[in-house]
Amino acid sequence: MAVPSVMILPLLIVFCAGVYYVYNEAMRFMSKSMVQNKVVVITDAVSGMGSECARLFHEGGARLVLCGPSWDKLESLHDSLCNGSDPSATFTPKLVLLDFSDMENISEMITEIEESYGCVDVLICNSSMKVKAPVQNLSLDMDKTIMDVNYFGPITLAKGVLPLMITRRAGQFVLVNSIQGKLSLPFRTSYAASKHAVQAFFDCLRAEVEEFGISVSTISHTFINAVPQNTTPSKTPPTNPLWAYISSKLTTHGVNSNTLAHEIVRTVNWHRREVLLSHPIPWVALYIRSLVPSFFFAVVAAGVKDGVMAEQLQ
């Protein structure tokens, strides 16, 4: 029986989505074995995304170095990873205090890692400080603090680890960045500036270290949802995993920690140079910003004016 022509496009979309879903599941299954025995350093490991990322690498058999500003939170993360894990298949994570607002101890931290493991296979720069305010309300001290955490901290750590990688002619840097390193929005002047700066640094670094067999990956994502978004509570979520996957792509406007952590693992395994993790609107905005910048600026400015007017009417 012939398929009606009006059904061809929907069936093709469903088929492509199914292939993509199966591919992602296969890659997720294969990724666990590919990080085994690698020394992986994760900054801000106590954050939601950092802890989820640490869990995946720990399950995959990586030798983790977990960095964070709070020793209590690091110990709690250490206990949650080790409890119930198989000691014969996993390594006990190493904990290191690291606060990018105080960078004097970074050299000591790198020395400690070198003495413990002798190398760093993967450095995941995950730390970030966010602020949203009109530019006239931000002090210069706040601007400097944001640049320290989002820019000077990651690049200082990367420069410290780089000689270890060059010596072995192997290694990988992974920058977990924001989409605002590519697309600037109002009321985020300092944050967007810091994200643009760190994106440019690692883009330059990628070209400089390629001859040494070192790879650089950047992951630009939209805002992180504290709670994974599913279908609304009044609706029954799809029981079919394929339809659940398609529904999540259509209804989610941010990314959750689990999705981002799995993307980081895939990026490490396949040495992807650049990843953009977002729903379609930021993708479209990036193309408009590049192809029709005057239209993009007009739309953004109109949004600011509408917001100010709405506040005055309240």
Side-chain angles (χ1 to χ4, degrees):
M1 184 175 63
V3 178
S5 58
V6 295
M7 293 295 296
I8 294 178
L9 182 59
L11 289 174
L12 182 62
I13 293 174
V14 171
F15 174 76
C16 293
V19 172
Y20 184 67
Y21 170 78
V22 172
Y23 169 79
N24 279 338
E25 291 301 310
M27 292 301 101
R28 183 177 301 185
F29 176 78
M30 292 172 59
S31 64
K32 292 185 177 181
S33 62
M34 299 178 71
V35 298
Q36 191 170 14
N37 295 322
K38 287 188 176 181
V39 178
V40 180
V41 180
I42 304 176
T43 66
D44 198 17
V46 296
S47 65
M49 195 288 297
S51 59
E52 184 66 23
C53 194
R55 181 185 66 81
L56 293 177
F57 279 103
H58 181 71
E59 291 176 353
R63 294 180 287 174
L64 287 177
V65 179
L66 305 178
C67 308
S70 170
W71 188 256
D72 291 338
K73 291 182 178 180
L74 283 173
E75 287 186 325
S76 177
L77 175 60
H78 175 277
D79 293 341
S80 67
L81 293 176
C82 293
N83 290 340
S85 62
D86 183 1
S88 63
T90 60
F91 296 92
T92 301
K94 180 177 179 59
L95 308 181
V96 177
L97 275 175
L98 177 65
D99 186 354
F100 279 149
S101 61
D102 179 19
M103 292 182 286
E104 294 181 356
N105 64 340
I106 291 183
S107 60
E108 297 178 0
M109 166 201 163
I110 295 172
T111 301
E112 184 179 352
I113 295 173
E114 183 178 10
E115 292 176 349
S116 299
Y117 296 112
C119 68
V120 172
D121 292 303
V122 182
L123 171 60
I124 300 175
C125 295
N126 169 52
S127 303
S128 182
M129 181 178 182
K130 302 176 180 65
V131 64
K132 179 182 178 182
V135 63
Q136 64 269 23
N137 294 347
L138 286 175
S139 66
L140 188 58
D141 288 337
M142 176 58 72
D143 292 337
K144 291 179 179 178
T145 300
I146 294 170
M147 289 299 293
D148 281 343
V149 175
N150 294 353
Y151 175 69
F152 287 110
I155 73 165
T156 301
L157 183 57
K159 286 185 174 183
V161 170
L162 184 58
L164 301 178
M165 294 185 177
I166 291 178
T167 300
R168 299 175 60 242
R169 303 188 72 84
Q172 183 176 10
F173 294 99
V174 179
L175 172 67
V176 183
N177 204 23
S178 168
I179 196 172
Q180 293 197 52
K182 294 178 173 293
L183 189 70
S184 302
L185 297 177
F187 307 116
R188 297 166 178 84
T189 49
S190 299
Y191 178 71
S194 66
K195 291 302 181 180
H196 271 74
V198 75
Q199 177 76 34
F201 175 89
F202 279 93
D203 282 346
C204 294
L205 180 66
R206 179 186 296 113
E208 293 184 24
V209 301
E210 186 174 357
E211 63 175 307
F212 301 110
I214 301 170
S215 62
V216 176
S217 305
T218 60
I219 301 175
S220 301
H221 61 82
T222 53
F223 66 90
I224 299 178
N225 297 314
V227 179
Q229 290 185 349
N230 297 313
T231 53
T232 55
S234 59
K235 297 180 180 179
T236 304
T239 55
N240 185 288
L242 175 58
W243 284 115
Y245 178 80
I246 298 174
S247 176
S248 69
K249 293 300 179 185
L250 296 176
T251 60
T252 301
H253 297 294
V255 297
N256 60 60
S257 299
N258 182 271
T259 300
L260 181 53
H262 278 92
E263 186 60 51
I264 292 172
V265 175
R266 284 193 291 269
T267 300
V268 170
N269 288 333
W270 301 107
H271 293 270
R272 296 175 177 173
R273 294 186 173 186
E274 190 171 51
V275 176
L276 181 60
L277 196 61
S278 72
H279 58 95
I281 293 178
W283 280 91
V284 174
L286 282 171
Y287 282 111
I288 294 176
R289 170 66 176 83
S290 300
L291 300 176
V292 196
S294 58
F295 176 75
F296 173 81
F297 296 144
V299 171
V300 172
V304 173
K305 293 177 183 178
D306 290 344
V308 173
M309 185 177 295
E311 291 180 357
Q312 293 175 347
L313 293 175
Q314 287 179 352

